[in-house]
């Protein structure tokens, strides 16, 4: 009887926790997007569907983790004080914010891959026939291949040969360490991974070159790359929330165009190639409006676009102009501007 009573009390306490979470402490990123996630096509009939499923599963796991962590905060308090307990608001809000940021980051990838392909500047043939570059980890491979990349260079300094990741996207990987691509010598700890994915009733092959390196360590290698059609940098390591007005105010420092090591990649991107960057380009900060509804000219051969309210810069290369890194302003810009700055600084 005592055991049955204990189980009944525990069940009642869990019900209180779940009701409290659902009525007062539900994640906005989850509640607002539940219908969208349920409406996603996740049948493996296309690469975008495979990507949708992978990231939707990630979101569901994150939500389950939030529910568990919320229970770990509240349950002991209920067990001690009963129904007269006070919610530790600061601890709960910190927990909520952490998971809202994580879920929102993944939602953005799903939204971009589904929306971008309907834009008139999106050139699937260019992307599929050229190199894709993923600057921040193997986790973004489903995203970049959903946009049409068949051959992708991935930078991931934490890559550990874990094949579980590939199983989650339904891929059969063939992993081999390599030292050269043609006559190009590769950095140490580089792997060639050929993926076989079942798409519909056919197998599709995607080739990856994974470099266990950071961007700043492979500048010489990047200078040999040409024929780039897509670059993705989701700033996966950032813990900060860059949503809303913070996107304009705080993301300037993270732009790829503030990174000297991005210079050779920017030069090698083909006309019509796309850069997907979780930041505002520094070349546009003085011109950008609070809510940007139109594209803007960066004046360095790229045009910046927005996809609705998604907090990313979508940059399309419109022309080849001579680019250099301006050490004075710490920005990638046109060569004449570099000369001008040096003259004015003297």
């Amino acid at each position: 009887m005592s055991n049955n009573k204990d189980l009944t009390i525990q069940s009642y306490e869990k019900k209180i926790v779940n009701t409290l979470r659902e009525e007062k402490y539900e994640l906005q990123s989850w509640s607002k997007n539940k219908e969208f996630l349920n409406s996603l096509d996740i049948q493996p009939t296309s690469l975008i569907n495979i990507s949708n499923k992978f990231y939707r599963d990630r979101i569901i796991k994150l939500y389950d983790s939030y529910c568990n962590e919320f229970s770990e905060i509240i349950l002991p308090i209920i067990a001690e004080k009963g129904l007269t307990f006070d919610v530790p608001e600061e601890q709960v809000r910190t927990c909520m914010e952490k998971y809202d940021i994580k879920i929102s980051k993944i939602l953005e990838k799903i939204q971009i891959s589904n929306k971008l392909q309907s834009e008139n500047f999106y050139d699937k043939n260019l992307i599929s026939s050229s190199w894709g570059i993923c600057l921040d980890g193997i986790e973004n491979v489903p995203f970049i291949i959903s946009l049409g990349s068949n051959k992708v260079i991935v930078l991931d300094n934490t890559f550990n040969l874990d094949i579980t990741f590939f199983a989650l996207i339904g891929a059969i990987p063939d992993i081999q360490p390599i030292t050269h691509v043609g006559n190009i010598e590769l950095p140490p700890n580089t792997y060639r991974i050929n993926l076989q994915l079942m798409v519909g009733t056919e197998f599709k092959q995607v080739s990856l070159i994974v470099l266990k390196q950071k961007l700043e360590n492979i500048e010489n290698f990047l200078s040999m790359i040409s024929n780039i059609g897509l670059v993705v940098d989701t700033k996966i390591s950032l813990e900060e929330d860059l949503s809303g007005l913070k996107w304009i105010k705080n993301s300037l420092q993270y732009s790829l165009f503030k990174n000297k090591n991005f210079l050779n990649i920017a030069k090698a991107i083909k006309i019509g190639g796309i850069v997907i960057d979780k930041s505002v380009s520094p070349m546009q900060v003085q011109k950008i409006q609070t809510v940007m509804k139109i594209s803007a000219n960066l004046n360095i051969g790229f045009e910046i676009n927005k996809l609705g309210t998604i907090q990313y810069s979508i940059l399309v290369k419109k022309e080849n102009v001579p680019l250099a890194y301006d050490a004075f302003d710490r920005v990638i810009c046109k060569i004449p501007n570099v000369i001008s700055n040096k003259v004015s600084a003297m």
Side-chain angles (χ1 to χ4, degrees):
M1 288 290 291
S2 177
N3 288 339
N4 287 338
K5 184 178 180 181
D6 288 344
L7 289 173
T8 301
I9 292 173
Q10 289 175 24
S11 177
Y12 180 63
E13 289 173 346
K14 287 180 180 178
K15 187 173 182 179
I16 292 173
V17 171
N18 289 335
T19 302
L20 178 66
R21 188 196 69 248
E22 291 169 359
E23 292 186 355
K24 193 174 179 182
Y25 298 101
E26 191 65 288
L27 296 177
Q28 287 192 6
S29 57
W30 173 260
S31 58
K32 288 183 177 180
N33 294 284
K34 212 164 19 173
E35 288 188 17
F36 168 70
L37 292 170
N38 289 334
S39 70
L40 288 173
D41 188 350
I42 58 171
Q43 297 300 315
T45 55
S46 70
L47 287 173
I48 196 167
N49 294 351
I50 291 171
S51 176
N52 286 344
K53 182 180 186 306
F54 174 80
Y55 289 119
R56 193 184 76 162
D57 290 348
R58 279 282 197 267
I59 289 172
I60 291 171
K61 286 182 180 179
L62 281 170
Y63 180 72
D64 290 342
S65 295
Y66 166 68
C67 294
N68 292 334
E69 193 166 324
F70 183 87
S71 295
E72 289 172 3
I73 294 171
I74 303 298
L75 264 178
I77 300 175
I78 294 179
E80 180 185 351
K81 298 186 177 181
L83 295 179
T84 60
F85 73 96
D86 292 324
V87 176
E89 294 286 346
E90 185 175 347
Q91 187 177 1
V92 170
R93 293 297 174 188
T94 299
C95 177
M96 292 178 69
E97 182 179 356
K98 176 177 70 174
Y99 284 100
D100 262 328
I101 290 172
K102 289 181 177 181
I103 289 175
S104 295
K105 284 182 176 181
I106 299 176
L107 276 165
E108 287 176 334
K109 296 177 192 177
I110 296 174
Q111 292 168 331
I112 289 173
S113 62
N114 283 268
K115 287 184 176 182
L116 183 59
Q117 299 187 46
S118 64
E119 295 291 329
N120 58 11
F121 56 76
Y122 170 75
D123 189 339
K124 185 173 184 177
N125 291 331
L126 172 63
I127 290 173
S128 63
S129 63
S130 54
W131 282 100
I133 297 187
C134 182
L135 292 175
D136 60 344
I138 201 81
E139 181 82 8
N140 286 317
V141 165
F143 175 47
I144 200 168
I145 65 176
S146 75
L147 295 171
S149 285
N150 296 316
K151 49 183 184 177
V152 186
I153 295 170
V154 184
L155 304 190
D156 190 337
N157 65 315
T158 64
F159 182 64
N160 60 5
L161 296 175
D162 182 5
I163 64 172
T164 305
F165 165 80
F166 301 109
L168 292 174
I169 59 174
I172 303 171
D174 175 20
I175 305 176
Q176 297 180 4
I178 56 171
T179 57
H180 291 79
V181 173
N183 62 351
I184 300 176
E185 184 176 353
L186 297 171
N189 298 316
T190 298
Y191 302 89
R192 183 184 66 201
I193 305 176
N194 290 325
L195 300 180
Q196 295 283 348
L197 295 110
M198 178 64 81
V199 182
T201 58
E202 299 179 349
F203 278 104
K204 181 174 179 59
Q205 180 167 308
V206 175
S207 299
L208 308 179
I209 295 177
V210 181
L211 296 93
K212 198 170 180 179
Q213 305 286 337
K214 294 183 178 180
L215 179 58
E216 57 266 27
N217 296 333
I218 57 170
E219 188 169 354
N220 291 336
F221 166 68
L222 292 176
S223 66
M224 301 179 189
I225 300 174
S226 61
N227 192 28
I228 298 172
L230 178 65
V231 179
V232 169
D233 186 5
T234 68
K235 309 296 189 296
I236 201 170
S237 62
L238 286 185
E239 297 295 331
E240 297 177 66
D241 177 15
L242 297 181
S243 62
L245 293 177
K246 293 180 182 178
W247 180 75
I248 295 173
K249 184 179 179 181
N250 297 335
S251 69
L252 165 61
Q253 62 183 303
Y254 301 114
S255 171
L256 286 175
F257 290 84
K258 289 284 281 186
N259 189 337
K260 180 182 180 181
N261 300 293
F262 182 64
L263 176 62
N264 288 322
I265 296 177
K267 289 178 179 179
I269 296 171
K270 300 193 74 172
I271 300 294
I274 295 174
V275 179
I276 300 175
D277 187 15
K278 175 72 172 181
S279 68
V280 176
S281 168
M283 305 299 290
Q284 188 54 35
V285 166
Q286 293 181 344
K287 301 177 185 177
I288 198 166
Q289 298 175 359
T290 302
V291 179
M292 186 172 175
K293 298 179 180 179
I294 58 173
S295 62
N297 183 9
L298 290 178
N299 196 30
I300 53 169
F302 288 86
E303 181 181 78
I304 188 170
N305 298 270
K306 289 277 287 143
L307 295 178
T309 58
I310 302 174
Q311 304 304 325
Y312 274 79
S313 301
I314 313 296
L315 299 113
V316 184
K317 192 166 187 179
K318 294 296 185 181
E319 59 179 324
N320 286 315
V321 296
L323 296 177
Y325 182 74
D326 183 354
F328 184 78
D329 281 339
R330 293 188 177 89
V331 67
I332 293 174
C333 63
K334 291 166 67 174
I335 285 178
N337 290 345
V338 176
I339 297 171
S340 175
N341 278 335
K342 287 180 178 178
V343 171
S344 62
M346 290 179 178

